[in-house]
Amino acid sequence: MAATLDDVAPDVSADPFGERIRTHWAVHKRLLGAHFLFESDCEALMDQVGAAYGGLPPHHLPHSEYDFRVELRLVPGRSLRGAIEPPPVQMRSGAGLLCGVVDACNYVMVMPAQRRALVVVSSDMLGFPYHLRYELIEFAVFVLATRGVGLVPLHGACVGSEGRCVLLLGASGAGKSTLALHSVLKGLDLLSEDAVFVEPETLLATGVANYVHVKADALRFIDDERARHWIGMSPTIRRRSGVEKFEADVRTGFGRVAAAPLAVVGAVFVSGEPADDVDGMLTPVPTNDIAIRLRADQPYAAGQSGWRRFEQKLVAMGMYELRRGLHPSASVDAVRELLQRRSKR
């Protein structure tokens, strides 16, 4: 019987760089004011794209019609066998490339000028979906949006209502996630719990409102039994710091995600320090201190091209420090009061 092309063993030298790998799966997403095309040769990797971005409302920004392409590839690999977690991501750059490298089989390369990114994942990395999503896939998406659209990337949370929002900034462990969760439980819209992206001229904020992360000891402050069940039955993730948290999916219907970008009308530094009383929870930051505190709180964002304009607008707007009340709901009330106060201007 005559041999067919399918019977011929592939010659590695004919495609040494693996350029002819077919991408069998593709999905389009409208994220962070831009259009993203995700392509992959692996259905399991596309499942992680769905876990990160499925069910989110499309966010459009004025005059932002950027198209980005993210390719995800699966390669053989057993470098993580027996590991509790993957090695930390190492950042590299050069020749117009921005890279995050876990090891030889797990890395992401972003080419902002070409509006493209490549995410390479080993088969055993699929066993660490949290790190895969946050440290590789979201790395690609966030860098492309920051550099391509010109957004200011903030480490923080953001909640709002009726088209307006308040930025929740502050050090890790200050209580931003807890405040975001209780804001959702009390009817505010969630824009993001961990990363917020702001257009510096319009102060429109966008984000990815997929999960909130809650420590087990925070459940004692949740009065609603259905909400405690929703969180308590969620998967548990382990941060790089070693802290374990529930990863509760807001898209399941418990709470509202922001249907569109929100206009920033206020910003607070969330503090872990207790307030003496309810009236002392929200205190203004002296105008001369705002820029200094902002840069110290957001060192990466302070190096981006749109930072100066963003900083000027927040200084002119004014910022507050929010100290912790006896119950997280008191902090939510303070944020709601700030939203209402600014909406009347």
Side-chain angles (χ1 to χ4, degrees):
M1 187 174 75
T4 67
L5 288 177
D6 292 335
D7 296 325
V8 179
D11 184 355
V12 175
S13 64
D15 185 20
F17 296 103
E19 298 171 274
R20 302 172 193 170
I21 295 177
R22 294 181 181 180
T23 55
H24 299 286
W25 290 272
V27 64
H28 300 264
K29 296 291 181 183
R30 187 81 189 195
L31 305 167
L32 308 177
H35 179 266
F36 283 83
L37 170 62
F38 296 91
E39 299 177 296
S40 183
D41 59 340
C42 173
E43 186 176 14
L45 287 177
M46 295 303 290
D47 289 342
Q48 291 306 314
V49 173
Y53 307 120
L56 292 174
H59 277 200
H60 300 263
L61 290 170
H63 314 297
S64 175
E65 292 300 328
Y66 295 94
D67 293 299
F68 300 111
R69 181 178 174 182
V70 179
E71 183 177 338
L72 303 100
R73 290 191 183 182
L74 186 72
V75 298
R78 291 290 181 267
S79 61
L80 303 178
R81 180 180 296 175
I84 298 175
E85 65 180 14
V89 176
Q90 301 294 319
M91 305 301 179
R92 298 287 185 267
S93 67
L97 296 174
L98 299 171
C99 305
V101 181
V102 174
D103 58 28
C105 297
N106 296 280
Y107 52 89
V108 53
M109 296 189 298
V110 184
M111 298 147 277
Q114 287 74 38
R115 301 178 183 175
R116 299 187 66 172
L118 172 66
V119 178
V120 177
V121 177
S122 66
S123 52
D124 55 355
M125 186 67 168
L126 294 174
F128 300 94
Y130 168 75
H131 295 89
L132 170 55
R133 289 199 318 268
Y134 281 86
E135 297 180 348
L136 295 178
I137 297 176
E138 289 200 358
F139 181 107
V141 170
F142 288 172
V143 171
L144 285 173
T146 298
R147 303 299 177 95
V149 184
L151 303 178
V152 175
L154 301 173
H155 173 57
C158 185
V159 296
S161 66
E162 298 180 351
R164 300 177 179 87
C165 67
V166 171
L167 298 174
L168 309 177
L169 309 177
S172 297
K176 299 185 296 294
S177 294
T178 299
L179 179 51
L181 168 65
H182 284 268
S183 296
V184 169
L185 296 180
K186 295 197 72 173
L188 293 180
D189 296 337
L190 178 69
L191 185 81
S192 179
E193 177 238 28
D194 189 54
V196 185
F197 298 81
V198 181
E199 204 290 312
E201 285 297 331
T202 63
L203 282 191
L204 282 174
T206 182
V208 177
N210 45 17
Y211 301 99
V212 290
H213 297 90
V214 188
K215 291 192 291 187
D217 60 3
L219 293 178
R220 70 184 189 275
F221 293 112
I222 299 176
D223 302 322
D224 189 321
E225 185 175 342
R226 294 179 304 122
R228 285 201 306 272
H229 183 266
W230 164 57
I231 295 169
M233 296 300 292
S234 299
T236 302
I237 59 94
R238 187 174 183 271
R239 298 282 200 189
R240 288 289 184 183
S241 62
V243 175
E244 292 189 351
K245 293 188 174 185
F246 292 110
E247 187 174 58
D249 194 335
V250 183
R251 296 164 293 179
T252 58
F254 216 107
R256 293 198 309 262
V257 301
L262 303 177
V264 176
V265 296
V268 300
F269 292 109
V270 179
S271 170
E273 295 292 325
D276 295 331
D277 53 51
V278 175
D279 294 333
M281 292 182 62
L282 202 60
T283 57
V285 176
T287 302
N288 292 338
D289 294 344
I290 293 176
I292 297 172
R293 291 193 61 174
L294 269 175
R295 293 179 189 182
D297 187 65
Q298 303 290 330
Y300 177 72
Q304 302 306 307
S305 60
W307 176 261
R308 177 60 68 92
R309 187 62 176 147
F310 169 78
E311 179 184 88
Q312 290 173 342
K313 285 180 172 286
L314 253 63
V315 170
M317 180 186 298
M319 292 188 66
Y320 292 83
E321 181 175 84
L322 178 61
R323 295 189 177 184
R324 184 173 297 177
L326 294 176
H327 192 281
S329 61
S331 299
V332 178
D333 292 340
V335 170
R336 193 189 297 274
E337 177 187 347
L338 180 57
L339 273 170
Q340 294 172 347
R341 187 190 312 166
R342 293 297 178 87
S343 66
K344 295 177 182 178
R345 291 186 175 184

